[in-house]
């Protein structure tokens, strides 16, 4: 695997883990896109975990088209992608988390589209319904992990220090069944 500056990639049998060193920024998005392309031809990977702080604020990702491309790559990836959210999932980072098949978060994580005038709520609407998604996007409402779990956005919550381990365990379970396509 190539060297990355903004993500740390590890492998454990059929699971690849991309740990974000910083909340998503332009370089992180580009590196994740490169990793997705690399893993798309590696048939030994049964699941991918993207782990870290998904709290990218609006404007921190220079090219919205790149984040859109990453979300499409995640959704189109032929194996399950799990978001392991350790701090927050807001703005474009929330959109990335929503593109993943499963989401695990810390009990203290907060979710939403702050500072937007409507935000990209299409993925959210698929999961929680149009009315709730519009409300969150138009009002900039931030919800906590308990509410996100109640709405069905999360598979699990845990202590922040355990989020990646929980996601790895989940990935191991789904890797054996590994194809979405």
């Amino acid at each position: 695997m190539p060297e990355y500056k903004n993500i740390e990639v590890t492998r454990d049998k059929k699971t690849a883990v991309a740990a974000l060193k910083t909340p998503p920024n332009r370089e992180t998005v580009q590196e994740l896109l490169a990793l997705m392309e690399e893993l798309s031809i590696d048939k030994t990977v049964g699941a991918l975990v993207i782990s870290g702080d998904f709290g990218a604020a609006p404007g921190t990702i220079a090219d919205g088209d790149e984040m859109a491309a990453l979300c499409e790559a995640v959704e189109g990836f032929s194996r399950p992608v799990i978001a392991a959210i350790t701090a927050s999932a807001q703005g474009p980072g929330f959109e990335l988390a929503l593109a993943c098949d499963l989401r695990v978060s810390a009990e203290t994580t907060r979710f939403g589209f702050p500072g937007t005038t409507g935000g990209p709520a299409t993925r959210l609407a698929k999961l929680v319904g149009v009315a709730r998604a519009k409300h969150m996007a138009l009002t900039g409402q931030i919800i906590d992990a308990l509410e996100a779990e109640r709405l069905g956005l999360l598979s699990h919550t845990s202590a922040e220090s355990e989020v990646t381990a929980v996601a790895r365990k989940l990935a191991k379970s789904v890797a054996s069944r590994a194809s979405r396509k």
Side-chain angles (χ1 to χ4, degrees):
M1 285 192 180
E3 287 287 320
Y4 297 106
K5 289 184 350 184
N6 297 290
I7 60 175
E8 181 180 334
V9 181
T10 57
R11 300 267 310 253
D12 179 23
K13 298 180 184 170
K14 295 179 107 183
T15 302
V17 178
L20 306 177
K21 294 180 181 178
T22 64
N25 58 37
R26 183 172 191 208
E27 293 78 24
T28 306
V29 168
Q30 290 170 344
E31 289 182 9
L32 285 169
L33 276 166
L35 177 65
M36 297 292 298
E37 186 175 326
E38 178 186 340
L39 293 177
S40 70
I41 58 175
D42 183 348
K43 300 306 177 198
T44 65
V45 173
L48 171 63
V49 174
I50 302 173
S51 174
D53 183 354
F54 284 60
T60 60
I61 298 174
D63 185 346
D65 290 341
E66 287 177 328
M67 180 56 92
L70 176 58
C71 289
E72 288 172 18
V74 167
E75 288 175 327
F77 194 59
S78 61
R79 276 117 329 137
V81 180
I82 300 168
I85 308 156
T86 59
S88 73
Q90 297 185 31
F94 186 33
E95 192 72 5
L96 174 58
L98 293 170
C100 294
D101 298 293
L102 302 170
R103 286 156 297 284
V104 175
S105 86
E107 297 159 333
T108 56
T109 299
R110 300 181 55 80
F111 302 84
F113 297 113
T116 66
T117 56
T122 305
R123 287 181 179 88
L124 182 60
K126 290 178 185 176
L127 296 170
V128 301
V130 174
R132 181 63 189 223
K134 283 185 177 182
H135 175 83
M136 285 183 66
L138 293 172
T139 64
Q141 180 187 20
I142 303 299
I143 60 172
D144 62 21
L146 181 65
E147 179 69 2
E149 190 170 32
R150 188 189 71 74
L151 290 171
L153 293 175
L154 299 174
S155 298
H156 299 281
T157 58
S158 68
E160 184 178 337
S161 62
E162 298 172 11
V163 170
T164 302
V166 169
R168 282 178 187 257
K169 185 176 179 181
L170 185 57
K172 182 179 179 182
S173 174
V174 299
S176 62
R177 311 179 182 307
S179 181
R180 292 191 308 184
K181 305 278 181 243

